[in-house]
Amino acid sequence: MRQIDELAALAGRLADTDGIHETAIPRLALIRSSRPTEPLHALHEPALCIILQGRKQVMLGDRVYRYDRSQYLVVSVDLPVVGQVLEASPEHPYLCIRLDLDPVLLGAIMLEAGGDGMGGSDAGPGLALNPVAPELLDAMLRMVRLLETPRDIAILAPLAEREILYRLMTGEQAARLRQIATAESRLQQVNRAIGWIKRNYDKAFSVEALAQEARMSPSALHQHFKAVTAMSPLQYQKQLRLQEARRLILGTALDAASAGFRVGYESPSQFSREYRRLFGAPPLRDAARLRDGSAFDMVGA
């Protein structure tokens, strides 16, 4: 597609080093990697991701999503995922655009378009792939071009973002996007539970208390939480605990036992065992391996 080629050329010029490059346009980031990466764990926030060059896979629970420039990825809630760039080289680096999703703006567009009350009530998977439509690429191209004329960003970027979200809400992800924008949708009820776990990941909790926070019955919470995140609430909490412990060990040189205690583990042996099961190596060996690499936070795109 002509639009993809032009977007790849723009992104290659604007993001000329590996990493995640936040831009002058709110919520828009450009991502580059000149080599394939190992599997990388992170909490992926709600976003639209369009690959311009290369190939990637994202794993959510036992589900594997592989995509390239022919598809876009939508993440509708905060999800602990494992991302891996599969295809990249210095001559043809992996290039991706990420636009974080604004629920308030989605809600305003839904109301203006007369879409309130549309879409199903069931909460499906919080991560999905769909073919990229030319209309979506046109709007994204206009947005990214603005990075080369900064004086136009304040006026024109919001218009381009509205069109991008409108294209999503009238495309194959319509029901999911409407659920992000609707306060009492199943997705938002699950999102309330996710928010509570994120704020209290280091504390024990009962499913009954979490269900009350989400305004659902315990059985409905378990069913819809697993449908969205591919894991139970307790498994979700464990992922957050271990990812935060990994960040503490890597970023603050905290020892494994202290990191485990900080995120809510009372038993160092249990922490070390579950850490190794998730990341493939004991905490200190894993941290040493990551310090030798260069793409620790490339998963969120």
Side-chain angles (χ1 to χ4, degrees):
M1 295 180 187
R2 176 191 58 80
Q3 302 103 316
I4 283 275
D5 291 336
E6 186 172 346
L7 278 165
L10 276 169
R13 289 199 304 271
L14 295 165
D16 57 359
T17 59
D18 285 359
I20 299 177
H21 301 262
E22 302 295 338
T23 72
I25 298 176
R27 294 178 289 282
L28 183 72
L30 304 175
I31 300 93
R32 180 186 184 114
S33 179
S34 59
R35 60 180 177 83
T37 67
E38 62 179 285
L40 302 168
H41 296 253
L43 187 69
H44 203 313
E45 297 180 347
L48 161 69
C49 299
I50 300 176
I51 289 178
L52 310 176
Q53 194 166 268
R55 193 161 55 94
K56 185 175 185 176
Q57 74 176 15
V58 177
M59 289 165 279
L60 174 63
D62 58 359
R63 304 170 189 167
V64 180
Y65 301 80
R66 294 185 179 91
Y67 72 118
D68 56 20
R69 64 193 300 184
S70 66
Q71 296 175 298
Y72 67 85
L73 176 84
V74 168
V75 179
S76 54
V77 295
D78 293 348
L79 293 173
V81 300
V82 183
Q84 183 176 17
V85 174
L86 300 175
E87 186 178 300
S89 68
E91 297 78 19
H92 298 284
Y94 168 84
L95 296 169
C96 179
I97 298 171
R98 186 191 72 214
L99 179 65
D100 295 335
L101 298 177
D102 181 349
V104 174
L105 185 53
L106 283 168
I109 294 170
M110 184 180 73
L111 291 174
E112 290 175 32
D116 53 314
M118 298 174 65
S121 60
D122 290 337
L127 191 155
L129 294 173
N130 283 106
V132 181
E135 296 81 7
L136 177 62
L137 289 176
D138 281 339
M140 184 61 79
L141 182 55
R142 286 195 294 277
M143 175 180 270
V144 177
R145 281 174 179 161
L146 294 173
L147 295 173
E148 296 193 313
T149 57
R151 68 182 182 279
D152 298 330
I153 288 175
I155 301 300
L156 298 181
L159 301 179
E161 182 178 14
R162 284 174 60 85
E163 182 178 352
I164 289 166
L165 297 183
Y166 174 76
R167 297 298 180 189
L168 290 176
M169 295 187 77
T170 55
E172 295 183 61
Q173 291 300 312
R176 180 172 280 100
L177 272 291
R178 290 185 184 113
Q179 286 206 37
I180 295 175
T182 305
E184 290 306 316
S185 68
R186 288 296 193 193
L187 188 65
Q188 284 300 346
Q189 289 178 305
V190 171
N191 203 32
R192 275 198 292 270
I194 286 173
W196 190 92
I197 296 173
K198 285 177 64 182
R199 294 189 301 273
N200 300 276
Y201 68 88
D202 57 340
K203 301 179 179 66
F205 67 87
S206 68
V207 173
E208 289 74 19
L210 187 63
Q212 187 174 8
E213 179 73 21
R215 301 172 203 168
M216 304 171 78
S217 69
S219 60
L221 172 64
H222 187 273
Q223 175 189 345
H224 292 292
F225 195 101
K226 191 157 190 176
V228 171
T229 68
M231 59 193 78
S232 70
L234 289 174
Q235 289 170 329
Y236 188 100
Q237 182 195 44
K238 183 187 296 186
Q239 291 261 346
L240 293 191
R241 284 181 169 186
L242 293 172
Q243 287 189 17
E244 175 61 12
R246 193 188 211 193
R247 187 193 68 80
L248 290 171
I249 294 169
L250 187 69
T252 67
L254 206 63
D255 65 88
S258 298
F261 181 77
R262 183 87 60 89
V263 301
Y265 281 90
E266 296 181 359
S267 166
S269 60
Q270 181 188 4
F271 167 69
S272 183
R273 183 170 60 252
E274 293 187 354
Y275 188 104
R276 181 171 188 165
R277 186 178 300 136
L278 181 62
F279 297 124
L284 297 184
R285 190 191 308 165
D286 176 61
R289 177 173 56 87
L290 287 172
R291 290 189 185 100
D292 290 337
S294 61
F296 176 66
D297 59 354
M298 285 286 293
V299 67

